[in-house]
């Protein structure tokens, strides 16, 4: 297993992002942790360091080009060129389209779509330099919601469909340069904070669904990312779905 990767993970303060960061650091990667919550990032960075890993807390807002540019400069100064970018930051609102405030729909697009574009654009020069000499990966965490019709998830699903399409096109553009690109679409995943904004009634339904399925632990998603990035340099896994065995 390649233990010398240099990675940035967005949405690293909790859930899937934190699990990916912890797993990659345990494998020997230097990990930059990007999210808005400084306290959570610093706590995770300290835990990784105490376990013998290398981590850097990078408080930033993926919707702000200036904030992301500052983050890119900080990561470059500390770690040099990245060879792995995991775009994982996401926001989910579940409510019928007509009932949702326009501000909620705008913020969903800002985080889920514009955030991926902004972060990728900022770190792409480093990925391109890395690809000239070593294995380099871009992994975008999308969602099965981007492929399915889920009432109450019109804007979230649309945002994730956009991420998946963007990812497929980026692969077509970047593959000739040696940058491997992967669209990862999770289904029902446990231990995430995406459902924190749900109404009590909806949260109760989701909790019951997770007990029935049950949901995939975030550690399994992290294991899958570790598998993807450790394939031989000439092998790319461009589209992956991870979901509970009973989810249809």
């Amino acid at each position: 297993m390649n233990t010398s990767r240099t990675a940035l993970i967005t949405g690293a303060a909790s859930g899937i992002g934190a699990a990916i960061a912890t797993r990659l650091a345990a494998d020997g990667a230097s990990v930059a942790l990007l999210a808005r919550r400084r306290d959570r990032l610093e706590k995770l960075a300290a835990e990784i360091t105490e376990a013998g890993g290398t981590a850097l807390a990078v408080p930033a807002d993926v919707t702000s080009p200036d904030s992301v540019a500052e983050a890119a400069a900080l990561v470059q100064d500390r770690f040099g060129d990245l060879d792995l970018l995991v775009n994982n930051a996401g926001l989910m609102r579940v409510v019928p389209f007509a009932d949702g405030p326009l501000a909620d729909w705008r913020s969903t697009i800002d985080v889920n779509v514009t955030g991926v574009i902004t972060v990728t654009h900022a770190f792409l020069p480093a990925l391109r330099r890395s690809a000239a000499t070593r294995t380099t990966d871009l992994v975008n965490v999308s969602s099965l919601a981007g492929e399915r019709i889920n009432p109450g998830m019109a804007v979230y699903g649309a945002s994730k469909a956009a991420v998946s399409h963007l990812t497929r096109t980026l692969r077509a553009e970047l593959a000739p340069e040696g940058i491997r690109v992967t669209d990862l679409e999770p289904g029902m995943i446990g231990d995430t904070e995406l459902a924190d904004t749900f109404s009590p009634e909806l949260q109760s339904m989701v909790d019951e669904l997770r007990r029935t399925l049950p949901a995939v632990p975030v550690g399994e998603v992290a294991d899958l990312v570790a598998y993807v990035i450790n394939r031989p340099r000439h092998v790319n896994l461009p589209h992956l779905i991870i979901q509970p065995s009973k989810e249809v």
Side-chain angles (χ1 to χ4, degrees):
M1 183 168 290
N2 188 345
T3 61
S4 60
R5 302 301 294 266
T6 302
L8 174 80
I9 303 97
T10 71
S14 63
I16 291 174
I20 292 172
T22 301
R23 169 59 193 271
L24 297 182
D27 288 345
S30 297
V31 294
L33 316 172
L34 191 152
R36 288 179 293 182
R37 291 176 290 181
R38 178 185 295 271
D39 57 337
R40 295 286 292 271
L41 292 180
E42 291 180 343
K43 181 176 183 292
L44 179 58
E47 291 172 353
I48 289 172
T49 301
E50 289 169 6
T54 301
L56 173 67
V58 186
D61 181 353
V62 299
T63 69
S64 166
D66 289 343
S67 181
V68 172
E70 292 175 3
L74 176 62
V75 173
Q76 186 71 35
D77 182 66
R78 175 67 181 273
F79 289 154
D81 289 334
L82 293 180
D83 57 39
L84 170 60
L85 171 58
V86 180
N87 281 307
N88 166 73
L91 180 66
M92 180 166 63
R93 300 277 192 260
V94 180
V95 63
F97 177 80
D99 298 338
L102 182 59
D104 282 0
W105 302 147
R106 291 179 63 90
S107 62
T108 298
I109 297 299
D110 284 347
V111 173
N112 295 0
V113 182
T114 307
V116 172
I117 292 170
T118 302
V119 172
T120 303
H121 193 268
F123 286 93
L124 186 55
L127 294 176
R128 280 177 155 159
R129 289 190 294 268
S130 293
T133 59
R134 62 187 193 267
T135 302
T136 302
D137 289 276
L138 168 61
V139 179
N140 289 337
V141 180
S142 182
S143 172
L144 270 179
E147 298 187 9
R148 296 178 174 176
I149 306 302
N150 297 310
M153 300 178 72
V155 177
Y156 177 74
S159 74
K160 290 303 186 177
V163 169
S164 291
H165 188 81
L166 172 67
T167 306
R168 291 190 294 268
T169 305
L170 285 175
R171 182 177 185 275
E173 293 182 1
L174 300 176
E177 300 181 34
I179 299 175
R180 305 188 302 191
V181 181
T182 298
D183 176 36
L184 176 58
E185 298 182 355
M188 179 70 75
I189 306 297
D191 307 318
T192 76
E193 296 182 351
L194 281 177
D196 284 357
T197 60
F198 290 179
S199 67
E201 295 79 8
L202 181 58
Q203 184 62 62
S204 177
M205 291 174 58
V206 170
D207 289 343
E208 179 60 29
L209 183 60
R210 284 174 170 168
R211 285 191 291 270
T212 303
L213 287 174
V216 174
V218 291
E220 293 291 339
V221 183
D223 288 348
L224 181 56
V225 171
Y227 178 82
V228 167
I229 67 168
N230 280 290
R231 295 310 87 211
R233 189 177 180 185
H234 64 285
V235 176
N236 181 207
L237 302 178
H239 181 207
L240 294 170
I241 294 172
I242 181 169
Q243 64 184 127
S245 299
K246 294 182 179 180
E247 183 181 15
V248 296

